[in-house]
Amino acid sequence: MKHHPAPVSRVTVLSGGVGGARFTRGLLAYLESAGHRTDVTVIVNTGDDMWLHGVRVCPDLDTMMYTLGEGVEESQGWGRAGETATVATELRRYQLGWDWFTLGDRDLATHLARTELLRAGWPLSRVTARLCERCDIAPTILPMTDHEVETMVVMAGDGPADLRTVHFEEWWVRLRAAVPAERFVQTGVAHSVAAPGVLESIQSADVVLLPPSNPVVSIGTILGIPGIASALAATAAPVVGISPIIGGSAVRGMADACLQAIGVETSAEAVAHHYRAAFGILDGWLVDSIDHEAAGRVTARGLLTKAVPLWMSDLTTTQAMAQESLLLAEELRH
Amino acid sequence: MKHHPAPVSRVTVLSGGVGGARFTRGLLAYLESAGHRTDVTVIVNTGDDMWLHGVRVCPDLDTMMYTLGEGVEESQGWGRAGETATVATELRRYQLGWDWFTLGDRDLATHLARTELLRAGWPLSRVTARLCERCDIAPTILPMTDHEVETMVVMAGDGPADLRTVHFEEWWVRLRAAVPAERFVQTGVAHSVAAPGVLESIQSADVVLLPPSNPVVSIGTILGIPGIASALAATAAPVVGISPIIGGSAVRGMADACLQAIGVETSAEAVAHHYRAAFGILDGWLVDSIDHEAAGRVTARGLLTKAVPLWMSDLTTTQAMAQESLLLAEELRH
């Protein structure tokens, strides 16, 4: 058994959906089991958000809420457990919208509640806090921005780019990322502002963690919001990442299709270098035991890297990963 | 058996929800059984419409679509048959919105489809036509206006009127119309315009029918849209109404609470006089057999009135009512 890191006051996590949510759940379980009273703030990607049938759907925020709150469908990692599809079945008969995107009935209640508050003029961050109240979620969950910054995919091909451009969710869910992406575009990002609390939580953190979320369209999207990457570069807190790539393939999802689009190799080593080269961040890096040789090479290039088991197969192994990330941060602080 | 009226080309109906929808269904069944190829246009009250949880709910349009199309819940006259409430149950846990307003799952699909198209910039009339396509609805269903004209109720009491004002649906469904209404207000009515086709359908009609809908907050609301009452007064078609009051009480709902607010007695006779005095319309009037004495009095005052059975207890009796209304119109045309 590893020793416990000394308690810290504040941990900030940058997260996408399933992988980040599971990691955060493990982190919270670890902190509780170790008796640490640590404030955790999670900054969540909202680039996958969309207006669908007139309601605002926030896939990553929902996955985070359901995973930390109550009733995520464990078998898939997203959506509500025991979900039904009465509304979606009926909607298909109108032949409108995205019938390939799953809108479960219970999930839909979240979207409707959110939409009601957004239409009443509340910013997404305030709406999110209100929705989290119901689930007794202890950490602070923040959207990366209150602005509508959506990730669009320009697919490879000939002809005008706008004819080859689809919403990320369409590329990811409907096309299964099978059509190569030429590039990703964040609509409206130039004029977007980090949501209230986001930059502060990075500045005041004792540790910042990057869970094994998609480095391009989840964490990369968050880092695209003006001010966030520079806050991470400037904070006194060590920034520790956990590789989403194990032995040359993505742990989950199709991260390789995203990495390919930005010219980054699908390897734990390449992702670490990408965070450093593109955003000037990352102080520590966890790779899977299978990538221990890469760990040596990355450390040799000046980024403290450890090889530890990175499969989040259950809560116990995920807690152990969270412990390792905090131990690495502790080592970096000294 | 009464004789059949001669076929006419165009019948226009002004309607609220349940009563008007059932009457229209009877009218269509009658026309079909008589072998008449008559175009029917239904102008529907949208004063009960509301934004609820960010989606647009149109109670009377929905009731009309479900009744003429498929699957209205017969026991209540509105909503979908075999309805479930998974989303509504979940929404209540967020403690938002109107938890006293029934949003069934299947019904919600209609609201979502409508909202998607409205948000895409379609006017309500075009949206309604699109939604009707799916249900194979033969008549043309038109909202009274594409503008958001909502009926508000100023409840009797002391203090500023705006503190005593609620949406009609709140007064009707939540408060069961038990708090006396001081007056009804149609928000935005002054600048509203009848939806495309509405005035034309009145001008070109051979017969205009006012079913036994609420004369104040259903038909009265339609008549409040600029141009509609004057089109009815000017059309060559006879305007025939069916009394919603039988023997001094409302056939359905709480029409007496509405009539009281505008100072009209709850009687078949008083409602006819109200249509004439307030809007300058009505050429013929059907009252229930029980009100045959009133029929004589009204006719004596210059409005041709017949007493016939007016309980829409089943489709057969409703078809007979429709036949009577067309016969009365025929008599008025000669």
Side-chain angles (χ1 to χ4, degrees), chain A residues 7-19:
Chain A
V8 293
S9 301
R10 282 178 289 272
V11 173
T12 294
V13 181
L14 273 61
S15 177
V18 182

Side-chain angles (χ1 to χ4, degrees), chain A residues 51-55 65-66 70 80 83-84 86-88 90-91 93-98 103-117 119 130-132 134-135, chain B residues 51-55 65-66 70 80 83-84 86-88 90-91 93-98 103-117 119 130-132 134-135:
Chain A
W51 286 102
L52 184 57
H53 302 298
V55 298
M65 283 198 299
Y66 299 155
E70 46 168 290
R80 296 285 306 267
E83 188 58 286
T84 52
T86 309
V87 180
E90 196 59 27
L91 259 173
R93 304 181 66 184
Y94 284 111
Q95 298 186 288
L96 289 169
W98 290 354
L103 268 184
D105 294 329
R106 306 180 76 192
D107 190 30
L108 190 53
T110 304
H111 310 322
L112 287 166
R114 171 185 296 125
T115 302
E116 175 174 345
L117 296 172
R119 295 289 182 201
R130 173 72 170 73
L131 298 183
C132 285
R134 165 187 176 277
C135 313
Chain B
W51 285 104
L52 183 58
H53 303 297
V55 298
M65 283 198 298
Y66 300 156
E70 47 167 292
R80 296 287 305 268
E83 188 57 290
T84 53
T86 309
V87 180
E90 196 58 30
L91 260 172
R93 306 182 64 185
Y94 283 111
Q95 299 186 289
L96 289 167
W98 290 354
L103 267 185
D105 294 329
R106 306 180 76 193
D107 190 31
L108 190 54
T110 304
H111 310 321
L112 288 166
R114 171 185 295 125
T115 303
E116 176 175 346
L117 296 172
R119 296 288 181 202
R130 174 71 170 75
L131 298 183
C132 285
R134 165 186 176 277
C135 314

Side-chain angles (χ1 to χ4, degrees), chain A residues 65-82:
Chain A
M65 283 198 299
Y66 299 155
T67 304
L68 302 189
E70 46 168 290
V72 76
E73 174 56 50
E74 292 292 344
S75 67
Q76 58 194 13
W78 50 269
R80 296 285 306 267

